[in-house]
Amino acid sequence: MLRGMVAKPSVPSAGQPEDPGQAGLLRQGRDVLRALGERRLAREFCRRAGSAPDREALIAAFLDCIVRRRDR
């Protein structure tokens, strides 16, 4: 089913977590916040994610941003 596909290694950029799973969570969290119209919180989430020591801290930062969303 997936024959012929080549996996490309993920290269973390400066300030992003090195764990590919953590980088994926960062990208997805940022995209969700932007899709909700919360660019300010997306920027804050990315800033906080840069200093997150593990996935649990990254998820906690995302949930904190979700809770602080403005009601529309």
Side-chain angles (χ1 to χ4, degrees):
M1 176 168 33
L2 298 176
R3 290 183 186 153
M5 295 183 72
V6 178
K8 295 181 182 178
S10 175
V11 179
S13 60
Q16 288 190 346
E18 293 184 21
D19 175 17
Q22 209 168 337
L25 286 174
L26 170 64
R27 186 175 49 256
Q28 290 173 353
R30 180 193 64 219
D31 291 347
V32 166
L33 289 166
R34 284 182 178 173
L36 292 171
E38 296 291 346
R39 290 191 180 275
R40 177 185 58 84
L41 287 175
R43 284 190 303 270
E44 180 179 338
F45 170 67
C46 288
R47 182 178 45 78
R48 290 175 59 185
S51 63
D54 55 20
R55 292 174 64 134
E56 288 79 15
L58 184 66
I59 293 167
F62 174 71
L63 292 175
D64 182 53
C65 288
I66 288 291
V67 169
R68 293 179 29 218
R69 279 186 62 219
R70 288 178 269 159
D71 290 328
R72 292 183 186 236

